[in-house]
């Protein structure tokens, strides 16, 4: 019985050595060393690594531009609120200055007829 097991182990060793070092083993083992690496055949845009990288890069740039635009808009709104909040509030009982008041600062209420002299009541 021992001789039979020994014979099977020898046959197994010969088969393994044949597969590892037999004819054709040089083609399999040296394939990566002797030949330059070939680029895999591109069958569609999803197989092209360069195309996919370009897509990812463009998406990143668009996202950054969108974030920057949003940040600038927020900053603009913050500054507008600061200017609005910093403007003096009109006193109670008095109207806020109109566009006519701002256009000609040299005029006063009496010149405009607010004293009632130019417009008699009917």
């Amino acid at each position: 019985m021992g001789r039979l097991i020994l014979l099977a182990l020898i046959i197994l060793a010969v088969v393994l050595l044949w597969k590892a070092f037999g004819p054709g083993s040089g083609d399999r083992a040296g394939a990566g060393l002797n030949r330059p690496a070939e680029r895999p055949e591109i069958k569609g845009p999803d197989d092209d690594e360069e195309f996919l990288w370009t897509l990812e890069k463009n998406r990143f740039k668009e996202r950054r531009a969108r974030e920057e635009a949003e940040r600038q808009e927020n900053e603009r709104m913050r500054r507008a609120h600061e200017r609005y909040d910093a403007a003096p509030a009109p006193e109670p009982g008095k109207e806020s200055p109109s566009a006519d008041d701002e256009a000609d600062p040299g005029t006063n209420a009496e010149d405009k007829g607010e004293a009632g002299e130019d417009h008699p009541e009917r």
Side-chain angles (χ1 to χ4, degrees):
M1 180 75 177
R3 289 184 182 168
L4 192 57
I5 293 175
L6 185 61
L7 181 65
L9 288 176
I10 291 174
I11 291 174
L12 180 66
V14 169
V15 169
L16 290 175
L17 288 172
W18 182 264
K19 291 203 180 246
F21 301 108
S25 65
D27 294 337
R28 290 188 306 261
L33 301 176
N34 297 336
R35 290 185 229 149
E38 294 180 20
R39 189 171 183 188
E41 183 181 343
I42 298 172
K43 297 179 181 177
D46 58 339
D47 293 339
D48 188 3
E49 293 179 18
E50 189 174 326
F51 175 75
L52 294 174
W53 171 247
T54 304
L55 282 179
E56 184 177 340
K57 192 167 52 171
N58 289 341
R59 286 183 188 143
F60 178 77
K61 286 179 181 179
E62 289 172 2
R63 187 173 58 235
R64 290 294 293 262
R66 206 172 33 247
E67 289 171 357
E68 180 64 21
E70 184 178 322
R71 187 189 64 75
Q72 288 178 352
E73 178 65 18
N74 289 340
E75 182 67 19
R76 188 185 65 78
M77 291 299 290
R78 184 186 63 80
R79 287 182 182 168
H81 283 291
E82 284 178 359
R83 272 186 263 136
Y84 176 74
D85 293 341
E91 294 179 18
K94 290 189 176 180
E95 293 184 19
S96 63
S98 65
D100 294 336
D101 293 343
E102 294 173 4
D104 190 6
T107 61
N108 57 25
E110 294 174 7
D111 293 339
K112 291 183 181 179
E114 292 178 9
E117 296 171 0
D118 295 339
H119 302 286
E121 292 183 12
R122 295 178 190 193

